[in-house]
Amino acid sequence: MPELPEVETIKEDLRGLVVGSEIESAEVLDPSLVEQPSTEEFASRLEGAGITGARRRAKHLIVELDSGDSVVFQLKIGGQFSLVPPVEEPETALMLILHLDGQRRLFLRDETGFTRARLLDAGELGDRLSPLGPEPLEDDFEAGYLPRTIGSRRAQIKPLLLDQKVVSGIGNIYADEILYDARLHPRRKANTLSEGEWGALYAAIRSNLAAGVEHRGTTVRLYRDVLDRPGGHQNYLRVFEKHGQPCPGCKGEVVREKVGGRPTHYCPACQRENSPGEGGRLESLW
Ligand SMILES: [Zn+2]
């Protein structure tokens, strides 16, 4: 499930390996890939285009072309780009092959089949990206942003972190790890967080995503970089898919429950459901 750190790694790989190349032809093997425009127009507008840049916005991977168009990829659950020698050519689940100059080929494969692509001009790209919340590793995402924008919401904190209009790039893996670090129960309502808890959440968002980028992403199942190598951050996870195992903090058991419809992993001892305020009031009543 590529989230911010995985898409960031793929983007950096494409900058190093593919930007500057020319697309000689584009072979769409799975027409469900192309959401906009038609598959035929997608392929014909890519043909002969030079790749001038690669960037990331939220979990979107954006490939910029010298025609002024951009291709926006959403890798969803299992999308993988790979630039590998022909001997290692992937044979299954191929959605797209970009034939590049120098007889190189960039493969897009996805065994889940959910990856989607749009070829957009500059105006369409702006419209597409404008609803997204701020980039959490950039300077304009400051500590006051979350309490200011969602601090009065009665919604649970985990679904809010996953909402790409609130903040960009966080998915299910990093959300669970962030909430563990911040010692916040995933069902806590945003309007019950104290100033100190907002500060801990902010620090945990920045540190977990930065570590994910530094370790070139998390490979739980499908994620690979552009040279088909797994990431390294799975070795640093504390709670995600660790249910039944001891919490590294208190040695209690990590549990798994659905929160907001998503499988969620947390330590019930370290991440209390009652806010300190509520807990304090209950204790004084007893
Ligand atoms: Zn614990």
Side-chain angles (χ1 to χ4, degrees):
M1 285 169 249
E3 304 180 26
L4 183 156
E6 292 75 41
V7 181
E8 181 71 18
T9 303
I10 295 167
K11 178 265 286 179
E12 285 296 317
D13 282 357
L14 292 182
R15 280 189 178 175
L17 296 165
V18 171
V19 168
S21 303
E22 186 189 313
I23 301 171
E24 292 182 342
S25 66
E27 207 177 327
V28 179
L29 291 107
D30 183 347
S32 68
L33 170 73
V34 182
E35 293 212 311
Q36 188 181 344
S38 68
T39 305
E40 294 72 26
E41 189 184 340
F42 181 87
S44 71
R45 275 164 67 182
L46 285 179
E47 195 175 315
I51 299 175
T52 52
R55 64 190 181 101
R56 180 193 59 75
R57 179 74 174 94
K59 300 183 228 173
H60 298 76
L61 177 70
I62 302 162
V63 174
E64 298 168 323
L65 306 175
D66 60 3
S67 58
D69 290 333
S70 296
V71 192
V72 180
F73 292 96
Q74 288 179 278
L75 302 174
K76 302 281 179 77
I77 297 171
Q80 302 171 352
F81 275 101
S82 50
L83 183 75
V84 292
V87 66
E88 294 175 43
E89 181 174 326
E91 290 174 354
T92 58
L94 282 174
M95 299 186 91
L96 173 70
I97 305 174
L98 295 180
H99 297 268
L100 306 176
D101 54 3
Q103 295 192 318
R104 297 188 311 156
R105 283 177 295 173
L106 182 65
F107 299 94
L108 172 62
R109 66 185 299 274
D110 183 351
E111 60 186 67
T112 68
F114 290 119
T115 294
R116 294 293 176 264
R118 288 181 164 83
L119 181 66
L120 305 174
D121 65 26
E124 292 166 331
L125 180 67
D127 292 344
R128 182 84 197 154
L129 302 181
S130 65
L132 294 166
E135 284 292 330
L137 292 179
E138 288 185 5
D139 291 342
D140 59 351
F141 182 73
E142 33 76 39
Y145 170 79
L146 285 177
R148 195 167 61 240
T149 50
I150 59 170
S152 59
R153 301 267 296 266
R154 297 170 62 90
Q156 296 171 339
I157 193 67
K158 178 170 173 185
L160 286 171
L161 288 184
L162 295 177
D163 183 344
Q164 300 298 301
K165 294 190 286 300
V166 170
V167 57
S168 281
I170 301 173
N172 208 37
I173 299 174
Y174 292 92
D176 284 0
E177 294 291 313
I178 286 165
L179 291 170
Y180 174 76
D181 252 356
R183 297 294 184 264
L184 286 171
H185 192 288
R187 288 200 186 88
R188 280 286 302 280
K189 303 244 172 40
N191 65 347
T192 70
L193 267 63
S194 68
E195 196 181 327
E197 288 173 329
W198 283 116
L201 180 61
Y202 174 75
I205 290 171
R206 302 269 276 205
S207 63
N208 277 273
L209 294 173
V213 171
E214 191 190 326
H215 299 137
R216 298 185 53 83
T218 301
T219 300
V220 175
R221 276 176 284 276
L222 298 173
Y223 166 72
R224 295 286 185 280
D225 72 12
V226 174
L227 295 178
D228 206 30
R229 301 169 298 193
H233 194 63
Q234 63 279 8
N235 299 320
Y236 297 86
L237 301 178
R238 280 77 43 87
V239 289
F240 183 78
E241 294 197 349
K242 304 287 185 193
H243 44 297
Q245 297 180 41
C247 159
C250 73
K251 308 299 175 198
E253 191 176 307
V254 174
V255 300
R256 169 169 162 140
E257 291 168 11
K258 284 214 166 166
V259 176
R262 305 291 301 274
T264 296
H265 313 78
Y266 69 99
C267 172
C270 293
Q271 298 164 262
R272 302 278 185 167
E273 186 149 15
N274 290 331
S275 65
E278 286 169 314
R281 277 201 301 280
L282 277 175
E283 274 159 33
S284 64
L285 281 174
W286 286 95

